[in-house]
Amino acid sequence: MAIASSSSSLLLLMFLAFLDHGAAVANLSSIEAAVRDRAFQLFRRTSEIVAVDVPAVLAGAGVEASATRVRSSALWADGVNATVPGLAVAVPPRVVPAPFARRVAIVFVRFLGDASSWLFDAPPGYELAAPVVALLAFDASGPNGGVALRALGAPVRVEFRDISPASGFNATAARCLTFSSGGGKVVAAHAVAMEPGPSCVVSGTATGHYGVAVRVETPPPPPPPRPPPVRERWWVWKVGATAGGVAAASFLAVTVVGAVRWRRRRRREEMERRAMCGEELGRMAVRGSRMPSAKMNTHGQKLHACTSTTYCSNFG
């Protein structure tokens, strides 16, 4: 299967290069013009629905075509029912060509395999589920120019027989597509719900390109990376707690030592100031040694014995 797909892609690329057009729209027009020319060669012998023998390079790339020729009066009165491999098209009565032509050639083109993906784009979030179908009409009584088929009564029905519920296709979730040129490629211009069959119904202008698309399930985003287990992180918490404890203990020790030194320095300065002012110091025992100390009154306040205001004012 992979070899067949690769060969069909190569053939299609060779044909597109041979046509020497930069845009897929121009390539599509050239493909359909080649199919039209082969179809008109067959109409010289019959007016029945016939299979068009497209050029070998197109057939190898996955392009199939069928065609029929009908009078405008018969198209208006009876319509056309065409059944070709993988496709059924029902053109109801009350359909007219625009501009008017006495005879109309109706061409059905199917783009199989890679031909659809190379030439047509599905809407974002969708992918093509069946070969794209082209319903074309030409003036068979004049210069073979293109005409549009306008349904003034019931809509035209295009049934895709390549897909079915038996193969797992869900018609309720699928969309019928119509295509238009844009950005160098033929892109989906309109999407509507499918009809049972599965088929697409076309009101108004019936000529154009039609396809079936299904929604593509986008994969969920990858889960975020899992955090390391608690056991792996325990040593981080342990080191952090130890470092924090050491820092707190160091800060507390430095604070206590600083406070003790500051208190001692204040006491020493107070004793020196009182000695210079002539205040009599008391004695107190500290660990078996007697040391001078300032006297206290009955309220626990230190007594000042400075009598020379000129000398002690700087210490008071």
Side-chain angles (χ1 to χ4, degrees):
M1 295 297 291
I3 297 176
S5 177
S6 300
S7 61
S8 63
S9 301
L10 180 61
L11 288 172
L12 183 60
L13 287 174
M14 292 173 58
F15 181 76
L16 298 183
F18 173 75
L19 294 176
D20 196 20
H21 288 291
V25 177
N27 295 329
L28 179 62
S29 300
S30 300
I31 292 173
E32 293 175 348
V35 173
R36 177 202 60 194
D37 294 341
R38 290 298 182 94
F40 275 97
Q41 293 175 3
L42 296 175
F43 290 152
R44 296 174 183 175
R45 299 188 298 269
T46 180
S47 295
E48 300 295 329
I49 298 177
V50 295
V52 180
D53 54 339
V54 298
V57 65
L58 289 182
V63 178
E64 293 183 353
S66 301
T68 186
R69 186 174 59 176
V70 62
R71 291 180 177 274
S72 297
S73 57
L75 181 64
W76 174 264
D78 303 323
V80 173
N81 292 319
T83 301
V84 297
L87 178 68
V89 179
V91 180
R94 298 179 59 83
V95 172
V96 296
F100 179 77
R102 290 187 300 107
R103 291 178 178 269
V104 178
I106 303 177
V107 181
F108 313 97
V109 185
R110 298 176 69 224
F111 299 90
L112 306 176
D114 293 332
S116 290
S117 59
W118 274 100
L119 297 172
F120 301 92
D121 264 347
Y126 286 83
E127 66 179 5
L128 296 175
V132 175
V133 174
L135 176 58
L136 310 175
F138 302 95
D139 184 355
S141 58
N144 301 341
V147 298
L149 297 181
R150 294 183 177 176
L152 304 181
V156 175
R157 180 178 294 272
V158 179
E159 182 179 350
F160 296 85
R161 295 189 171 182
D162 288 335
I163 51 179
S164 64
S167 61
F169 177 75
N170 184 9
T172 58
R175 292 292 182 269
C176 290
L177 304 179
T178 57
F179 296 89
S180 64
S181 60
K185 201 169 186 180
V186 186
V187 297
H190 189 60
V192 296
M194 288 200 74
E195 296 289 327
S199 59
C200 299
V201 293
V202 185
S203 301
T205 302
T207 46
H209 300 81
Y210 307 98
V212 179
V214 292
R215 182 176 294 275
V216 179
E217 296 294 337
T218 56
R226 296 180 58 185
V230 178
R231 291 183 178 179
E232 296 181 5
R233 294 183 298 170
W234 172 247
W235 67 271
V236 179
W237 291 101
K238 188 175 181 179
V239 172
T242 302
V246 172
S250 300
F251 176 77
L252 180 61
V254 171
T255 303
V256 172
V257 171
V260 171
R261 289 182 177 179
W262 177 82
R263 185 172 182 82
R264 288 180 178 177
R265 185 174 63 253
R266 292 292 296 174
R267 285 183 178 180
R268 185 171 58 254
E269 291 176 354
E270 181 71 15
M271 291 171 64
E272 290 175 355
R273 185 181 67 80
R274 293 184 181 279
M276 295 180 68
C277 291
E279 179 180 350
E280 182 180 358
L281 299 176
R283 296 286 178 175
M284 63 179 297
V286 178
R287 295 185 179 182
S289 300
R290 297 186 65 82
M291 299 180 65
S293 65
K295 293 182 179 181
M296 300 287 182
N297 60 12
T298 57
H299 299 287
Q301 299 177 347
K302 295 180 180 180
L303 298 178
H304 297 272
C306 292
T307 57
S308 176
T309 58
T310 58
Y311 181 79
C312 297
S313 59
N314 293 331
F315 299 94

